[in-house]
Coordinates of all heavy atoms in Angstrom, one line a residue:
A228 N 35.6 -46.1 6.0 CA 35.9 -46.9 7.2 C 36.3 -46.1 8.3 O 36.0 -46.3 9.5 CB 37.1 -47.9 6.8
D229 N 37.0 -44.9 8.1 CA 37.4 -44.0 9.1 C 36.2 -43.3 9.8 O 36.2 -43.1 11.0 CB 38.4 -43.0 8.6 CG 39.7 -43.6 8.2 OD1 40.0 -44.7 8.6 OD2 40.4 -43.0 7.3
I230 N 35.3 -42.9 8.9 CA 34.1 -42.2 9.5 C 33.2 -43.1 10.2 O 32.6 -42.7 11.2 CB 33.4 -41.5 8.3 CG1 34.3 -40.4 7.7 CG2 32.1 -40.8 8.8 CD1 33.7 -39.7 6.5
S231 N 33.0 -44.3 9.7 CA 32.0 -45.2 10.3 C 32.6 -45.9 11.6 O 31.8 -46.5 12.3 CB 31.6 -46.3 9.3 OG 32.8 -47.0 8.9
A232 N 33.9 -45.8 11.8 CA 34.5 -46.5 12.9 C 34.1 -45.7 14.2 O 33.9 -44.5 14.2 CB 36.0 -46.5 12.8
S233 N 34.0 -46.5 15.3 CA 33.6 -45.9 16.5 C 34.7 -45.0 17.0 O 35.9 -45.3 17.0 CB 33.3 -47.0 17.6 OG 33.1 -46.4 18.9
P234 N 34.4 -43.8 17.5 CA 35.5 -42.8 18.0 C 36.1 -43.4 19.3 O 37.2 -42.9 19.6 CB 34.7 -41.6 18.3 CG 33.3 -42.0 18.5 CD 33.1 -43.2 17.7
E235 N 35.5 -44.3 20.0 CA 36.1 -44.9 21.2 C 37.2 -46.0 20.9 O 37.9 -46.4 21.8 CB 35.1 -45.4 22.1 CG 34.0 -44.3 22.6 CD 33.0 -45.0 23.5 OE1 33.1 -46.2 23.7 OE2 32.1 -44.2 24.0
R236 N 37.2 -46.5 19.7 CA 38.2 -47.5 19.4 C 39.5 -46.9 19.1 O 39.7 -46.1 18.2 CB 37.6 -48.3 18.1 CG 38.5 -49.5 17.8 CD 37.8 -50.3 16.8 NE 38.6 -51.6 16.5 CZ 38.2 -52.5 15.7 NH1 37.0 -52.3 15.0 NH2 38.9 -53.6 15.5
R237 N 40.5 -47.4 19.8 CA 41.8 -46.8 19.7 C 42.8 -47.7 18.9 O 42.5 -48.9 18.8 CB 42.5 -46.6 21.1 CG 41.6 -45.6 21.9 CD 42.3 -45.3 23.3 NE 41.5 -44.4 24.1 CZ 41.8 -44.0 25.3 NH1 42.9 -44.6 25.9 NH2 41.1 -43.1 25.9
Y238 N 43.9 -47.2 18.5 CA 44.8 -47.9 17.7 C 45.5 -48.9 18.6 O 45.9 -48.6 19.7 CB 45.8 -47.0 17.0 CG 47.0 -47.7 16.4 CD1 46.9 -48.3 15.2 CD2 48.2 -47.7 17.1 CE1 48.0 -49.0 14.7 CE2 49.3 -48.3 16.6 CZ 49.2 -49.0 15.4 OH 50.3 -49.6 14.8
S239 N 45.8 -50.1 18.0 CA 46.6 -51.2 18.7 C 47.5 -51.8 17.7 O 47.1 -52.2 16.6 CB 45.6 -52.2 19.3 OG 46.4 -53.3 19.9
P240 N 48.8 -52.0 18.1 CA 49.7 -52.6 17.2 C 49.5 -54.1 17.1 O 50.2 -54.8 16.2 CB 51.1 -52.2 17.8 CG 50.8 -52.1 19.2 CD 49.4 -51.5 19.3
L241 N 48.7 -54.7 17.9 CA 48.5 -56.1 17.9 C 47.7 -56.6 16.7 O 46.8 -55.8 16.2 CB 47.9 -56.6 19.2 CG 48.7 -56.3 20.5 CD1 47.9 -56.7 21.7 CD2 50.0 -57.0 20.5
P242 N 47.8 -57.8 16.3 CA 47.0 -58.3 15.2 C 45.5 -58.3 15.7 O 45.2 -58.4 16.9 CB 47.5 -59.7 14.9 CG 48.9 -59.7 15.5 CD 48.9 -58.8 16.7
S243 N 44.6 -58.2 14.7 CA 43.2 -58.2 15.0 C 42.7 -59.4 15.8 O 41.8 -59.4 16.6 CB 42.4 -58.0 13.8 OG 42.6 -59.1 12.9
A244 N 43.3 -60.6 15.5 CA 42.9 -61.8 16.2 C 43.3 -61.8 17.7 O 42.7 -62.6 18.5 CB 43.5 -63.0 15.5
S245 N 44.3 -61.0 18.1 CA 44.7 -61.1 19.5 C 44.3 -59.8 20.3 O 44.8 -59.6 21.4 CB 46.2 -61.3 19.5 OG 46.9 -60.2 18.9
R246 N 43.5 -59.0 19.8 CA 43.1 -57.8 20.5 C 42.0 -58.0 21.5 O 41.9 -57.3 22.5 CB 42.6 -56.7 19.4 CG 43.7 -56.1 18.6 CD 43.2 -55.2 17.5 NE 44.3 -54.8 16.6 CZ 44.1 -54.0 15.6 NH1 42.9 -53.6 15.3 NH2 45.1 -53.7 14.8
E247 N 41.2 -59.0 21.3 CA 40.2 -59.3 22.3 C 40.7 -60.2 23.4 O 41.5 -61.1 23.2 CB 39.0 -60.1 21.6 CG 38.4 -59.3 20.5 CD 37.7 -58.0 21.0 OE1 37.3 -58.0 22.1 OE2 37.6 -57.0 20.2
L248 N 40.3 -59.9 24.6 CA 40.8 -60.6 25.8 C 40.4 -62.1 25.7 O 41.1 -63.0 26.2 CB 40.3 -60.0 27.1 CG 40.9 -58.5 27.3 CD1 40.3 -58.0 28.6 CD2 42.4 -58.6 27.4
T249 N 39.2 -62.3 25.2 CA 38.6 -63.7 25.2 C 39.3 -64.6 24.2 O 39.2 -65.8 24.2 CB 37.2 -63.6 24.9 OG1 36.9 -62.9 23.7 CG2 36.4 -62.9 26.0
S250 N 40.0 -64.0 23.2 CA 40.7 -64.7 22.2 C 42.2 -64.6 22.2 O 42.9 -64.7 21.2 CB 40.2 -64.3 20.8 OG 40.6 -62.9 20.6

Side-chain angles (χ1 to χ4, degrees):
D229 295 336
I230 298 178
S231 60
S233 172
E235 298 180 357
R236 188 170 184 176
R237 298 181 179 179
Y238 168 77
S239 173
L241 299 176
S243 57
S245 61
R246 291 176 184 174
E247 301 295 335
L248 295 178
T249 56
S250 61

